[in-house]
Amino acid sequence: MAGSLVAGSASSGAVDAAGTASQAGGYWATSYEPGTPRPAGFPAQGPARNLRGETTHITTTVRDVRSDHPNDTSAQEGVESLADQDSGTKWYARDSGRPTGEEPVYAIYTLRTPSAVTGYSLTSASDAPPRDPAAWTVLGSDSDSAGRDADDSSWKVLDQKEGQRFGARGQSNFYPIGTPHAYRHYQLRITDNCADRCEGSAGDRAKLQLADWTLRSSAGSSASALGVRVENADSVGAADGSAALRYAGRVLASGPASSTVVLRSGLDVPLVRESRLSYAIRPDDAASARIALNVVYADPDGRHPRTYAARTGDRTPAPGKWNTVSADLGALAGKRVSEIRLRYEDEHAESGAKPTGWIDELSIGKAAIDASTTWSYLDTPGVDPARGDRDRTAWTRTGFEAGDVPWKTAAGPFGAKNDGTDLGAGFPVRTKLRLRKDEGDSVEAYFFRTSFSMDRASLDAITGLLGTVVYDDTVTVYLNGRRIAGHGDGKIEKNLQYEVPDGTSGEGDPVTARFSVPASALRAGANTLAIEVHQCNSTSSDVYLGPGPLAQTAGSLPFTDAQLGTSYASDTRPTAPGGGDYFTWLLRSFDAARNTPSIMGANEVLPKGTTYEELAALNDRTVIDINNTPSGPTDPQVHKALVDGANSPYRTMADGLGTTLGRLYDQALKNGELPKTKALLSGRVEHTPDSSADWYQTAKNNYQYKRPFVRMGFTNDEGLIEPWDSPGGYGGLAGDGSFPSGHTSHGYAQGIVLATLLPELAPQILARASEYGNNRILLAFHYPTDIMGGRIVGEKTAQLRWSDPGFRNLLEQAEAELESVLVQKCREAGAGGSLTRCADSGKAYLPRGQALRVYKQRMTYGFPHIGAQGRPPAVPDGAEDLLRTAHPKLTDAQRRTVLAATQIPSGSVLDEQSDGGSWQRIDLARAMTAKVTAHHDGTLTVDGVRVNAEGERTGK
């Protein structure tokens, strides 16, 4: 669905895993996004009658996935991706060749407990159609030997298919299993791919890939709620070609059958006379069309809830196609909607009937701007919409007099391609633009205006508006004369000019951009939205503007372009004493480690055949100890290390929040509910507005210590390292320096910032950050000293941001966003009304005490002291700012005391013992969780020990 328009937090926990919602000011909409985790099931309201739910997934009970072509060294394309119910990942059966009956390619699921499968689905992957499976057999077995042997005699055939096709990328095809039996092992045995029967290159015909294989089971033989799930809907053409809500069930006996399922709860949508309930429905057949949506409404004070069956007339949705349904809610003006329910009812249902279908584009009310909006537009060559005004944007203001400018009116999308309007699939044109001037050159720019009204009650209830726009080649969006978003328009100085977007040639498909309008920019009464689109050059063959819906939201708004594009003080790296690169100077204690043979080996390649016993340096031995521990490429820790290495830490480290809160955090990120948090952690904390260069790279280039796999070689070539990653993965980094670890610096920068935003879970988040770094040792890309150095870079990066008052404002906004969104999601999931209770409702990543110990151990990896011991605490300047959220009531001086009192002893590897303090000694996990009492004499009690201002023990 075109859910790219809204993102909010007012939704039931049952559905929120797959949808986003916005509600305020009488408007509410939900979107079902692809790639989001599938919820466990939707709550039923009351007993079902004569119906059984049919869409329970059991893939989540898979304990192990095996294959003869597992592609283990790929974090994104290994066989484990087959079971993740995420069409954005895939299994690429590397080196499989074209499957045949004699040489099939298989995948085996071993479930935690035996389960009866009543059906399954296969989802095509993102690349080429010739790689799709076309023929296969599904088998089941209870024998333990079958889990290890695809040819075991115990396998029983459950289903066979030939000549299968997938109509689109990411399409899910569904298949029933006639005689279910509870098996523990299931095998997908692929015996052919689409090859030359599908359009694509010849090079893809001998390859095999598949996004998902999802096992499904019914809810049993007794009546149960209609099954409702979010599914990939490419095969039925969801509005944006992605996902929709799928319902399915089976009638147990002839006669009346019914079921009610709550789709959304916890809403608070005020209704007015013009309010309508709208949705799209696609029943698979006539028996599936007995479906409607009802609303639960209450008085303005929330009392007297009642159910309202929205009237849609006598029209029955046509099977096999999308039907738009719109029901008048005007009779409920003054009430407030709290729930939306899906109701199936058939008084004359036939035994064995399978009501199945899809729901999409669900909304109540009317967006400020939608597909029906009429725009004034200007596509006349050589005409300036500002009529020569010195302010070229004068035309974007409310009340601007058009004069003799020849504005036209129409609804979008607008566009042109050569002499027609065919811009390709996904870019429909409703109103053709004039592409050429009389002399044949392309028109420089196009201008669009429309108005909408907002009342004061609506403005007081929302945080702002969220919208989308699809454009080609550049776009600028204005609200009441104020620029609120722009893409590729940085060099535009006048209305009639060409502009090639930075980093592009101007060629390619139209681009989708999202934008937000804060409530403070809106007015009670008329508001004007204006958009300008510029062409890249005079020979451009196309132009496009697809204005998407603009809808109210009570959720978190993204940072503005100005907020993220501003250059803050912390964007400028500190200057090293005496000049030179700051981070090279910060990590200068590396020289002491490099000159200590018991810690680090000589910076040279070891001879082939060198044994573990011949290694003298702890750095080398520790790498081998960690790298050689996994049992093989299918070891879960190897897979986790590969996933960590291939993805952003702030996403892969979600498990550091525990099973419940981590899942909700991950959902919120994918649903777009944490735009501020994502913007900071995905890049802005570590990079400047005009550069994505990594701050540690100069230090890495300066120190140039060879990586473990380079020095010690691989076991398959008389070396010591197990090559868990791909040859390309190792080859790509072989010439890059080892110290400090860049991945680790990212992991700690993002992990430390996340810990400061969620201080309640700081020990677990920081321990997970340390695992992210440790996984670089497991893959033998780095040594423990590299991980220590990466942590120091990450600590300093996070500190610079928190010490910068301007950037701190962004961090505090993200902190408020995380708190608000996650607490709401916890409530919706029935996991408590606080982050602590929510985290405690699931399994913790690690118990707090163990997390503290793990973090501390990985600070030094137990290496012996090589520097002076017994030195007093030494806290770097600014480090106290990392404790602002954990200890908000303490002064800066008191926070420094806490850091001093919790520091590890001096003398460890990378402990900087000259002036300026030692980041290596900062035990941030312990400092953030310390129990602190302030006394009138200026001393503190930290974790039961009374200390003076320098953090040294005083008195008893």
Side-chain angles (χ1 to χ4, degrees):
M1 126 171 224
S4 45
L5 93 162
V6 291
S9 58
S11 52
S12 72
V15 186
D16 197 52
T20 60
S22 170
Q23 52 92 186
Y27 179 80
W28 178 91
T30 188
S31 64
Y32 301 107
E33 297 293 348
T36 55
R38 304 322 193 214
F42 288 38
Q45 186 70 25
R49 179 175 59 172
N50 197 16
L51 185 84
R52 182 175 70 186
E54 284 289 322
T55 59
T56 303
H57 293 199
I58 66 169
T59 303
T60 50
T61 67
V62 172
R63 189 191 70 184
D64 184 45
V65 186
R66 294 176 180 267
S67 173
D68 53 342
H69 294 280
N71 200 7
D72 290 323
T73 58
S74 174
Q76 299 285 355
E77 300 183 349
V79 72
E80 294 86 356
S81 296
L82 200 60
D84 64 5
Q85 298 177 44
D86 182 351
S87 60
T89 63
K90 64 188 176 187
W91 168 41
Y92 170 46
R94 185 182 299 276
D95 301 325
S96 66
R98 180 175 178 176
T100 65
E102 293 72 30
E103 296 185 10
V105 178
Y106 69 81
I108 296 174
Y109 286 172
T110 296
L111 309 184
R112 296 186 186 282
T113 56
S115 297
V117 172
T118 58
Y120 63 95
S121 64
L122 299 184
T123 302
S124 61
S126 59
D127 288 334
R131 302 184 184 190
D132 292 341
W136 60 82
T137 303
V138 174
L139 307 100
S141 174
D142 277 328
S143 171
D144 287 340
S145 60
R148 301 182 297 272
D149 184 359
D151 297 317
D152 190 84
S153 60
S154 65
W155 287 109
K156 294 180 173 56
V157 174
L158 306 179
D159 188 46
Q160 286 183 302
K161 289 289 182 286
E162 293 182 355
Q164 299 300 297
R165 300 285 289 270
F166 294 84
R169 302 302 85 209
Q171 174 178 314
S172 296
N173 288 351
F174 299 84
Y175 304 94
I177 289 179
T179 54
H181 174 79
Y183 294 110
R184 190 175 185 194
H185 307 284
Y186 286 87
Q187 179 184 167
L188 175 65
R189 194 177 186 90
I190 300 171
T191 52
D192 197 7
N193 63 0
C194 202
D196 53 354
R197 297 185 299 275
C198 285
E199 184 176 351
S201 69
D204 287 314
R205 296 173 185 173
K207 297 177 181 179
L208 176 68
Q209 68 175 25
L210 184 64
D212 288 309
W213 172 36
T214 301
L215 304 179
R216 303 163 183 272
S217 69
S218 71
S221 58
S222 60
S224 60
L226 191 72
V228 183
R229 307 285 304 195
V230 174
E231 303 286 358
N232 184 288
D234 279 341
S235 60
V236 294
D240 70 349
S242 57
L245 197 78
R246 180 169 173 82
Y247 63 88
R250 178 180 296 179
V251 177
L252 300 176
S254 296
S258 63
S259 175
T260 299
V261 181
V262 177
L263 297 187
R264 290 285 179 175
S265 64
L267 301 178
D268 184 19
V269 185
L271 299 177
V272 296
R273 190 172 299 278
E274 295 79 18
S275 294
R276 301 189 71 83
L277 170 67
S278 300
Y279 58 95
I281 181 170
R282 188 187 191 280
D284 287 345
D285 53 35
S288 307
R290 310 291 296 182
I291 289 283
L293 296 187
N294 297 339
V295 299
V296 175
Y297 68 96
D299 295 337
D301 59 5
R303 301 175 64 186
H304 307 115
R306 286 148 285 183
T307 301
Y308 181 79
R311 306 298 179 191
T312 58
D314 297 329
R315 178 186 172 196
T316 300
K321 59 184 287 188
W322 282 102
N323 302 258
T324 299
V325 176
S326 181
D328 184 7
L329 300 180
L332 305 181
K335 308 296 184 182
R336 306 182 83 90
V337 172
S338 60
E339 285 186 0
I340 299 177
R341 299 177 177 178
L342 176 65
R343 175 69 177 173
Y344 163 77
E345 187 165 17
D346 188 350
E347 291 298 319
H348 306 288
E350 296 183 3
S351 178
K354 295 181 178 180
T356 57
W358 305 81
I359 301 282
D360 207 353
E361 298 182 304
L362 172 58
S363 67
I364 297 175
K366 188 177 188 297
I369 290 174
D370 61 19
S372 66
T373 297
T374 297
W375 293 75
S376 296
Y377 72 100
L378 177 62
D379 67 347
T380 303
V383 177
D384 183 346
R387 298 168 53 209
D389 195 299
R390 293 179 61 183
D391 177 6
R392 76 171 190 87
T393 66
W395 65 277
T396 69
R397 297 195 295 263
T398 301
F400 177 72
E401 294 293 335
D404 58 356
V405 174
W407 291 91
K408 307 173 185 178
T409 58
F414 304 85
K417 175 72 173 180
N418 294 321
D419 296 326
T421 59
D422 183 11
L423 281 92
F427 306 110
V429 173
R430 186 173 181 178
T431 300
K432 182 180 178 180
L433 295 175
R434 178 169 178 172
L435 182 65
R436 306 290 184 194
K437 302 178 184 179
D438 292 339
E439 63 270 25
D441 287 346
S442 175
V443 174
E444 293 95 333
Y446 303 82
F447 307 91
F448 308 83
R449 285 170 48 100
T450 193
S451 295
F452 59 92
S453 294
M454 299 288 293
D455 58 64
R456 175 49 56 187
S458 295
L459 291 177
D460 291 343
I462 64 176
T463 56
L465 307 177
L466 291 174
T468 58
V469 59
V470 186
Y471 66 93
D472 187 309
D473 290 298
T474 76
V475 70
T476 311
V477 182
Y478 304 90
L479 192 284
N480 296 328
R482 169 184 169 187
R483 181 185 184 276
I484 57 174
H487 300 274
D489 63 341
K491 298 178 183 177
I492 293 174
E493 298 178 346
K494 55 185 180 180
N495 285 332
L496 301 182
Q497 77 169 75
Y498 298 110
E499 177 61 46
V500 179
D502 288 342
T504 74
S505 64
E507 298 179 354
D509 288 337
V511 178
T512 299
R514 292 172 173 80
F515 64 92
S516 63
V517 181
S520 60
L522 295 164
R523 303 169 179 169
N527 292 266
T528 297
L529 187 74
I531 301 174
E532 66 180 85
V533 171
H534 288 256
Q535 292 283 73
C536 65
N537 55 47
S538 62
T539 61
S540 177
S541 62
D542 60 355
V543 62
Y544 194 78
L545 177 72
L550 183 67
Q552 302 96 325
T553 181
S556 179
L557 290 179
F559 288 121
T560 65
D561 292 346
Q563 286 175 305
L564 293 179
T566 294
S567 182
Y568 296 93
S570 55
D571 286 324
T572 302
R573 273 180 281 181
T575 302
D581 177 63
Y582 176 80
F583 282 97
T584 300
W585 172 83
L586 182 69
L587 298 169
R588 62 197 182 280
S589 55
F590 176 71
D591 288 330
R594 183 163 49 183
N595 293 328
T596 306
S598 63
I599 299 296
M600 294 182 64
N603 192 20
E604 59 188 28
V605 176
L606 299 178
K608 290 184 179 182
T610 299
T611 65
Y612 178 82
E613 290 70 21
E614 294 175 296
L615 297 176
L618 271 174
N619 232 14
D620 296 343
R621 282 178 168 257
T622 305
V623 170
I624 303 305
D625 290 341
I626 295 173
N627 167 262
N628 285 189
T629 297
S631 58
T634 60
D635 190 293
Q637 194 61 41
V638 170
H639 181 68
K640 193 172 188 180
L642 292 171
V643 170
D644 272 358
N647 296 278
S648 297
Y650 77 98
R651 301 205 76 129
T652 66
M653 297 193 306
D655 59 334
L657 279 63
T659 55
T660 297
L661 192 59
R663 174 177 56 85
L664 297 177
Y665 167 77
D666 189 54
Q667 290 172 5
L669 283 173
K670 291 179 177 178
N671 290 350
E673 296 171 276
L674 297 172
K676 291 183 171 69
T677 303
K678 180 179 179 180
L680 297 186
L681 294 181
S682 66
R684 192 60 182 89
V685 162
E686 298 180 79
H687 299 132
T688 64
D690 56 358
S691 175
S692 60
D694 294 317
W695 288 0
Y696 57 78
Q697 190 61 47
T698 301
K700 186 189 286 282
N701 295 340
N702 286 335
Y703 288 116
Q704 273 300 320
Y705 191 76
K706 297 182 188 299
R707 292 178 181 264
F709 68 89
V710 173
R711 289 184 55 248
M712 293 186 280
F714 295 114
T715 54
N716 54 21
D717 189 28
E718 300 183 64
L720 294 163
I721 300 298
E722 291 289 349
W724 302 127
D725 206 336
S726 65
Y730 287 110
L733 293 176
D736 193 29
S738 183
F739 179 86
S741 166
H743 274 76
T744 302
S745 73
H746 293 309
Y748 274 101
Q750 295 173 35
I752 289 171
V753 170
L754 183 59
T756 60
L757 302 182
L758 294 172
E760 303 92 333
L761 294 170
Q764 288 84 359
I765 295 171
L766 293 174
R768 180 63 178 91
S770 77
E771 182 189 15
Y772 187 93
N774 194 70
N775 279 338
R776 303 306 289 170
I777 303 176
L778 185 143
L779 298 178
F781 284 113
H782 287 288
Y783 308 89
T785 48
D786 303 341
I787 306 309
M788 300 175 204
R791 188 190 73 250
I792 291 171
V793 173
E795 287 173 321
K796 183 62 181 179
T797 302
Q799 174 263 306
L800 288 172
R801 295 311 195 183
W802 273 106
S803 295
D804 177 356
F807 201 92
R808 187 188 307 150
N809 178 53
L810 304 184
L811 291 165
E812 289 170 344
Q813 290 184 54
E815 181 188 15
E817 173 188 80
L818 262 176
E819 173 81 17
S820 172
V821 171
L822 292 185
V823 166
Q824 176 66 19
K825 294 182 79 66
C826 289
R827 290 189 181 122
E828 293 167 352
S834 71
L835 295 182
T836 302
R837 286 185 60 190
C838 189
D840 290 344
S841 69
K843 183 179 179 181
Y845 167 70
L846 288 175
R848 173 165 291 207
Q850 185 178 352
L852 290 170
R853 290 190 294 273
V854 165
Y855 183 83
K856 184 175 182 179
Q857 193 275 333
R858 288 177 180 153
M859 289 178 65
T860 65
Y861 281 86
F863 283 14
H865 291 80
I866 61 173
Q869 301 183 55
R871 292 172 60 88
V875 178
D877 290 342
E880 63 274 8
D881 288 313
L882 293 177
L883 299 188
R884 282 180 172 270
T885 58
H887 299 291
K889 296 182 179 180
L890 300 183
T891 65
D892 284 346
Q894 289 171 331
R895 294 185 191 115
R896 289 185 64 82
T897 299
V898 173
L899 288 167
T902 55
Q903 271 193 339
I904 64 174
S906 66
S908 62
V909 174
L910 297 194
D911 174 24
E912 182 49 55
Q913 300 195 328
S914 58
D915 294 338
S918 174
W919 282 107
Q920 170 65 340
R921 296 179 64 186
I922 297 293
D923 187 345
L924 190 59
R926 185 182 168 199
M928 292 187 74
T929 57
K931 295 181 179 179
V932 183
T933 303
H935 305 290
H936 293 297
D937 62 358
T939 61
L940 298 180
T941 296
V942 180
D943 289 336
V945 178
R946 195 151 183 164
V947 297
N948 60 22
E950 289 71 39
E952 297 173 313
R953 190 180 191 117
T954 179
K956 293 183 180 180

